[in-house]
Amino acid sequence: MSPTPPIPLLALLLLLLSPPTRADCECGYTVNATLYTDLLETDFLHLPNITRDTDWQPQNYTVSPAAARGPYGKNASLSNVVANPLHDNNTSAGPGLLGGDPGLQLWVRGGIPQDGLIPIAEIASARDDMLYGSFRASMKLTGTPGTCGAFFWYYNNSQEIDLEFLSRQFPPPSNASTTYPLNLVLQSPLSALANSAAHTPTFTTYPLPFCPTAAYHEYRFDWSPRAVTFYADSVPLASMNLSVPSAPGSVHLSHWSNGDAGWSAGPPAADAVLAVGYVKAYFNSSAERRQADWRARCKDLSAKGATCVVPDQEGPPGEAETWFFSQQANMTGNQTVFGG
Ligand SMILES: *[C@@H]1O[C@H](CO)[C@@H](O)[C@H](O)[C@H]1NC(C)=O
Ligand SMILES: *[C@@H]1O[C@H](CO)[C@@H](O)[C@H](O)[C@H]1NC(C)=O
Ligand SMILES: *[C@@H]1O[C@H](CO)[C@@H](O)[C@H](O)[C@H]1NC(C)=O
Ligand SMILES: *[C@@H]1O[C@H](CO)[C@@H](O)[C@H](O)[C@H]1NC(C)=O
């Protein structure tokens, strides 16, 4: 019989020195004590090329004027989705490589389109299995009248959560003492039938106390089975508990115009840009495969560090620090992240 080999000194030292537990977030991320198993985070301020980031699908489509229900149709194309990253990873503010506002630029082209289709921009998440969650985007809106800037979650025309900015509603810069409207919508069977949410109970316009075209702010909606709550820079704006979606969908950003005087108006007189600093989403998945991934990585929900609290954005991004789990070591293990 061979004697038991002694524990090598180095291994013993490592054992003694290793921290007792680490925060691995293997069971997920909590927002106000609600657990979400999956995440999608994109730091557009440092992303050089959107077509290489397979978490996102820049959209290519055309909609006729009749189908768009405007005097104009829409032409979404990759050329209007422009990555404008900061100069390097150590820079957190300043102009992008192409000049102007950094991040992902979504352009609506100005002027009367010869073909009747206004050139617009939209991106959608590759994942369409998002079922309940907290969805956040840092955005700086355009001050050029005649566009709709939208951050939304979509399943179909009666299950949709929308944050929409109409640039025509922004007061002119000379009128600085006023508020800035933000339209909050849950699309519903009623709005789908009427092709408008205008006279439905799940539409409200919130007067923001800050100018959305002057700086990046974080816009957010938390969606649970009971309610959807909208936020700006972590301040709750409104909650809705009717027509709450119950199917899985995808998250989108778009900047568009169809010339409809009652909504987007436009087309804008000049090219108009919406800049996106980041998107962060913490959500549950409807996909059996993702649920199996979660069961495999989450052995003990109550273990220390098994769940991680999602911090609130304390103040406008750009002025305050922004947190990404995906930029820490070991806090996104075995997550389905396609990345750039
Ligand atoms: C957090 O959850 C509690 C308990 O469910 C609720 O009363 C409160 O309104 C929530 N806070 C926010 C900011 O959603
Ligand atoms: C999300 O999934 C986790 C794990 O199954 C569950 O504990 C949690 O309640 C779910 N959250 C919602 C809002 O359904
Ligand atoms: C982005 O990447 C795609 C695919 O690799 C490439 O075709 C395209 O030229 C790149 N765009 C820029 C602006 O570098
Ligand atoms: C959206 O999907 C739900 C559930 O599948 C369905 O009942 C509803 O009719 C759909 N709405 C539209 C506008 O297609």
Side-chain angles (χ1 to χ4, degrees):
M1 240 172 98
S2 60
T4 311
I7 299 173
L9 191 61
L10 187 63
L12 190 65
L13 263 176
L14 283 177
L15 196 68
L16 290 173
L17 291 176
S18 66
T21 45
R22 289 170 301 155
D24 282 346
C25 322
E26 69 271 19
C27 291
Y29 310 90
T30 60
V31 178
N32 195 23
T34 301
L35 178 66
Y36 298 111
T37 57
D38 289 41
L39 94 174
L40 184 158
E41 292 181 330
T42 306
D43 176 8
F44 287 114
L45 292 180
H46 300 102
L47 183 77
N49 187 330
I50 175 80
T51 63
R52 290 197 194 141
D53 187 323
T54 50
D55 283 327
W56 294 101
Q57 300 174 337
Q59 303 290 294
N60 268 304
Y61 61 79
T62 58
V63 183
S64 69
R69 286 184 298 277
Y72 298 96
K74 301 185 284 190
N75 181 0
S77 71
L78 188 52
S79 60
N80 296 327
V81 177
V82 178
N84 186 28
L86 291 165
H87 286 258
D88 56 63
N89 279 338
N90 303 320
T91 312
S92 60
L97 281 177
L98 306 174
D101 290 330
L104 191 72
Q105 299 185 327
L106 303 179
W107 288 90
V108 176
R109 302 298 171 185
I112 304 295
Q114 292 304 307
D115 62 357
L117 306 179
I118 300 175
I120 66 155
E122 177 167 352
I123 64 169
S125 62
R127 291 189 65 165
D128 60 3
D129 59 332
M130 297 169 159
L131 182 60
Y132 308 120
S134 180
F135 301 83
R136 302 153 186 223
S138 159
M139 303 193 290
K140 184 177 172 188
L141 280 296
T142 184
T144 304
T147 76
C148 176
F151 172 44
F152 62 106
W153 171 95
Y154 183 81
Y155 169 65
N156 69 9
N157 287 346
S158 56
Q159 297 206 30
E160 176 175 340
I161 304 167
D162 267 319
L163 265 144
E164 294 192 280
F165 290 95
L166 306 178
S167 53
R168 71 171 166 85
Q169 294 183 321
F170 297 152
S174 55
N175 193 356
S177 65
T178 177
T179 55
Y180 298 79
L182 166 55
N183 298 287
L184 306 172
V185 188
L186 300 188
Q187 303 292 353
S188 60
L190 210 56
S191 70
L193 205 63
N195 283 321
S196 163
H199 303 290
T200 70
T202 49
F203 169 73
T204 189
T205 300
Y206 186 89
L208 290 172
F210 57 78
C211 175
T213 71
Y216 295 79
H217 291 273
E218 184 189 85
Y219 303 99
R220 163 177 160 195
F221 48 92
D222 287 5
W223 165 37
S224 78
R226 289 166 310 284
V228 175
T229 303
F230 297 91
Y231 300 80
D233 295 334
S234 303
V235 176
L237 310 178
S239 270
M240 297 178 184
N241 58 14
L242 298 172
S243 309
V244 175
S246 57
S250 49
V251 68
H252 298 236
L253 290 146
S254 74
H255 195 202
W256 61 274
S257 176
N258 65 353
D260 174 2
W263 195 249
S264 73
D271 289 0
V273 67
L274 183 171
V276 186
Y278 62 75
V279 174
K280 304 195 277 186
Y282 309 95
F283 57 95
N284 278 358
S285 173
S286 63
E288 176 47 41
R289 206 167 139 207
R290 301 294 161 239
Q291 293 173 5
D293 284 350
W294 177 74
R295 285 191 296 271
R297 69 177 169 261
C298 177
K299 300 294 184 208
D300 177 5
L301 247 174
S302 62
K304 194 158 186 285
T307 64
C308 296
V309 175
V310 180
D312 278 349
Q313 177 65 34
E314 302 288 349
E319 290 167 33
E321 202 59 41
T322 297
W323 171 265
F324 293 94
F325 289 103
S326 49
Q327 292 178 2
Q328 319 302 316
N330 303 324
M331 292 184 115
T332 54
N334 189 37
Q335 287 285 347
T336 298
V337 187
F338 300 104

